[in-house]
Amino acid sequence: MTKVVFLGQSSDIPKLVVQARAQYPHLQVYTEDEPGARDAEVAACWRPAHGALARFPKLRLIHAIAAGVDNILEDPALPPLPICRVVAPDLTEGMTEFILWSVLLFHRNLDQVLTNQRRRQWQRVDQEPAASRSVGILGLGTLGTHAARTLAQHGYQVRGWSRQAKQIANVRSYAGADQLDEFLAGTDILVCLLPLTDETRGILDRRLLGKLPRGAALVHCGRGGHLVSQDVLALVREGHLRGAVLDVFEVEPLDTASPLWDEPNIFVTPHIASANSITSILDQISENIRRLQADEPLQNLVDAQKGY
Ligand code: NDP
Ligand code: OXD
């Protein structure tokens, strides 16, 4: 029986523990402080406290319960072990739905309609075809590629930016720092689906967003650490950005005192762009445990050097 410890700051942890115990009798499941946890071979986590993973000397695998692993890699005492993340259709499809909603909000001028409603103002806003809007996606990985394909199927002009160039039907690919400005100059709605790494921290600042055409919109679903929120706020107030949907923040929950809450053209959502189901998280952890014990290649292994 493989011993698995679940730890970290997520309301999903207690649910994962209960369901893992009920559905995977071949696993011995522990929470962090339970007797026996010290011998765990696998740690499943979200934002573990710094140094927490180093307290398990028999660990062989660290498994994120999410897609992003920045919250694990930032631990200065992280043991040098393989790290896997969750890649699941429910998360991918959920993210695409959220992005589609956000893109439609700006493309169909529904942001203006919502403002007009608060003023009791009946005003028919312009409606343009999807093909008249260019959506640019920062990050063409699992989530960005699925969103890009779906937006292209809905008729949008779609472009994406990544480190390596991609070939995706009806999606224009831009790669690396050299092509970033050209990518931004032709983007009406910018979607961020980057992982948080040393290279991408603070990327959504005035310098980058200032290269979008005037009146562009931002949809941010990556990580709070990408966002320089005072720059976004200033650019919205100056009218350079028409608005922003912001799902992730440097500090979550977002402080009730944050001016982002009250800004008319900023839509704050509480890190709900998408989420893995408890079932898909456990399926992947259990499959990787099987692979670990059978000495087979692990699924969805993270490259700790690259940071994603
Ligand atoms: P992937 O690892 O599959 O893809 C990451 C993409 O970002 C790749 O295309 C990669 O390029 C690109 N990239 C990374 N660094 C750079 C860089 N320096 N310059 C240009 N491109 C770069 O990640 P996912 O698609 O699975 O997830 C993306 C992020 O979405 C997660 O890390 C997480 O932070 C966030 N997320 C947010 C959720 C929410 O609810 N808000 C839910 C789930 C995830 P290349 O392909 O060339 O390597
Ligand atoms: C994730 C997230 O990374 O929920 O999966 O943000």
Side-chain angles (χ1 to χ4, degrees), residues 34 42 68 82 87-88 96 113 120 132 171 182 206 259 266 293 296:
E34 278 179 318
V42 177
V87 175
T96 293
V113 172
R120 299 175 175 264
S132 69
V171 176
E182 189 189 344
R206 177 178 279 279
I266 290 184
Q293 303 302 19
E296 291 175 19

Side-chain angles (χ1 to χ4, degrees), residues 173-220:
S173 162
Y174 295 80
D178 291 351
Q179 295 185 356
L180 182 57
D181 287 5
E182 189 189 344
F183 162 84
L184 294 167
T187 291
D188 299 320
I189 303 173
L190 181 71
V191 176
C192 180
L193 275 175
L194 287 167
L196 183 62
T197 66
D198 291 345
E199 286 179 31
T200 64
R201 182 172 292 282
I203 191 169
L204 297 178
D205 62 359
R206 177 178 279 279
R207 205 163 64 96
L208 180 142
L209 298 169
K211 291 175 180 160
L212 292 166
R214 190 171 175 82
L218 171 66
V219 178
H220 180 37

